[in-house]
Structure formats: structure tokens, C-alpha cells
Amino acid sequence: MGVTIQDNEIAALLKENTGRGFRMLVEQYSRRLYWHIRRIVILHEDADDTLQNTFMNAWKNISAFRNESSLYTWLYTIATNEALATMNRRKRNSSVSLDEISKYFESSEEGAAWFDGDEAQVKLQNAILKLPDKQRVVFNLRYYGEMPYEEMSKVLGTSEGALKASYHHAVKKIEQNLMRDD
Amino acid sequence: MEEFKNISDKNPFRVPENYFEEVSARIIESTAGKEPETKPAGLLHRLRPYMAVAASVAALAVLTVAALRYFDRGDILMEMPDISFQDITDNYLHEIDLLTLEESVASTPSWDDISEISNNEIIDYLLSENIELNEIYELL
């Protein structure tokens, strides 16, 4: 996590040859950012769009990246904002609400094609989905992404103390939701 | 220890075959031959949100004056100076902090939203705003 040798190489290449640097950045980060986004937006189609928007945003603003934060932090910040924007757009416009996602995974052929979890995993995903969006981001980054609080604090612009409390609160709520579903 | 840690942590989500190779190529291709933006956004673009708020405030002021005149409440209007639309925009509008106004308008929830907010959601929001947990429990 944080600034890696590869990040430094990419940052140097971006200054030298923006096109080649950006290519390296996409190859290095597309998989990691996709999974970060996918856990927030859940649907593959939304994750695909959001990932492209993230990189398009990064490309447009590449001159604004000045090594003040790590590439990793910068990209995760853009990806998180884009994913939350996708969620907000979906809440306003889409016919598929997150409340119905569990049914979508269980019953729809399309949903089943992109979800391969057992019953317990469906329950866990449902419990996670009941969290408010930002708290869900905190939980996913910590639990699945194992991101240190210090790094998360830079990505989300929130104090480490608040993030720890938020994660603790999220875990409690997930446990309560799972117990309620049993 | 979290109870759900007994649940498999295998990633339950799937992607189409060769998705990551394909999406990387697609993203790189979409930027090929293009230069990243370097110039700042135009003045008109940057001022657009403020102009929208200014127009809303002006419309509200005009509607208020029109409504008061329409209902012709003599006792109220007697105390009100005769303010024209031009006076309002010249004398009052420039004193308003448009950014603050814009933020407050954008973040004001409707009553329907408020009535459905639970304590847990309030706690989540306060935590995300860096309010200490002890203070939150004192407030609720």
C-alpha cells in the first residue's frame, strides 16, 4: 500500500511521456480499482462504466497530479467519488434498487452470471448493502482491501479516529443484520 | 472477533472472461492521440453555479414582492419600502455569500427525508463528519 517503487516509476514516466505513463498506470491499477468500485456499485455494468470514468477523469487531470499524494491515493480518491456518484445516479434514475439486488443475484439469469457466492455470502452482501454508502466504502476498504486507516484517511478526507469508529459501527450493524436474517 | 469472518472471504463477484485485458485496452485506446487537459475551465463555466443561484434568489425576491402586492396587505406594505427588482439585485444580492447559499440549498433535505432518518444514520453521518464518538453519544 502507499507509495511503491512502481508508483514512482509511473509518476516519473508520466512527466517524461504522458501517453506511456498513462498506459502503465492503467495496466497497473485497472484490476485493483475495478474491485474497489465493484464492491461499492455491485453491478458489473455500473462498475465497468465507473472504472472508465475514473481513468478518463485521471487522464483529463493528469497535469494536476503533482506527487503531493501518492498515485495510489489519488486514483482511489477519484474512483471512490465516481463510484458514489454512480450510486447517487442509480438512486435517482434506475429501476434496479440496491434493496432488490439480493433477489437479482438469486433469481435473475443475468445477476447469477456475475455472482458466484453461496447462501452465506449472499447474506453477508445483503448485510453490507444495508450500510450507508460512505460507511460501506469504509468497511470494504478495510475488510476486503485491508487498507491501513492512515491511507484511508487520505483517500476519504476523514480522520483516522472517525474511520475506526465508523468501521467498528459497520461491523456491529452487519452482525445485527446477519442475526436478524437467521 | 467478527462473526461474519466465518463466511468465506472468496470474492463472490464474477467478471466476463478476459475482461481486465479488454478494459485496459479500451481505456488506453480512448485516450490515444489525445492530449490531457491543461487549460483551466473558462470563466463562464466556473461562474455557472453562482449564476444559477443568483437567478434563483432573484426569482424568489420577485415572487415575494409580487405575492405581497397580489394579496394587497396594506398594513404590511405600508411598512415596506418600494423596492424595485433592480434595487434588490444592486443592493442586496451582492452581499450574499453565494457559495454558502448554494451549499445550503444543495444540502437541505426535504421533510420526507428527515422523517425517515434513524439514529444509526445520524451517527454514521456525524462520524463521517469527524465528530468524536463520545460527543455523538452525548448528543443522542
Side-chain angles (χ1 to χ4, degrees), chain A residues 5-169:
Chain A
I5 294 167
Q6 243 160 352
D7 273 6
N8 288 337
E9 279 173 22
I10 296 171
L13 194 54
L14 279 169
K15 281 181 193 160
E16 206 178 289
N17 182 328
T18 313
R20 275 182 58 207
F22 187 73
R23 189 190 187 97
M24 196 171 170
L25 180 144
V26 172
E27 282 164 0
Q28 181 70 19
Y29 275 98
S30 58
R31 191 179 288 262
R32 276 197 275 175
L33 290 179
Y34 173 85
W35 288 120
H36 169 58
I37 291 166
R38 178 79 186 266
R39 288 191 187 102
I40 300 171
V41 304
I42 305 294
L43 299 179
H44 167 70
E45 291 77 7
D46 284 350
D48 183 47
D49 285 345
T50 308
L51 182 69
Q52 289 184 70
N53 290 343
T54 298
F55 280 116
M56 286 303 107
N57 236 326
W59 170 255
K60 280 182 194 165
N61 296 294
I62 206 90
S63 60
F65 176 70
R66 294 274 180 268
N67 271 348
E68 282 152 8
S69 61
S70 69
L71 258 182
Y72 167 88
T73 307
W74 185 62
L75 288 170
Y76 267 76
T77 304
I78 299 173
T80 304
N81 290 339
E82 287 290 340
L84 292 174
T86 299
M87 293 296 296
N88 288 335
R89 271 197 301 275
R90 186 199 288 157
K91 279 174 192 163
R92 283 199 304 270
N93 307 325
S94 173
S95 54
V96 182
S97 91
L98 274 183
D99 299 338
E100 295 161 358
I101 291 283
S102 59
K103 290 177 201 154
Y104 178 76
F105 283 140
E106 285 163 2
S107 57
S108 126
E109 205 174 299
E110 190 193 349
W114 305 131
F115 190 81
D116 190 23
D118 57 22
E119 198 186 334
Q121 284 174 316
V122 170
K123 279 185 181 173
L124 176 59
Q125 287 305 317
N126 277 335
I128 296 170
L129 282 173
K130 288 190 177 109
L131 299 174
D133 288 345
K134 199 166 174 189
Q135 194 170 42
R136 204 150 55 83
V137 172
V138 173
F139 178 82
N140 285 333
L141 284 173
R142 184 68 192 159
Y143 184 69
Y144 290 109
E146 296 178 354
M147 187 183 275
Y149 286 114
E150 187 190 354
E151 204 69 46
M152 212 191 296
S153 167
K154 291 176 196 158
V155 170
L156 300 176
T158 307
S159 77
E160 287 183 45
L163 290 170
K164 284 176 190 169
S166 185
Y167 179 76
H168 176 73
H169 204 59

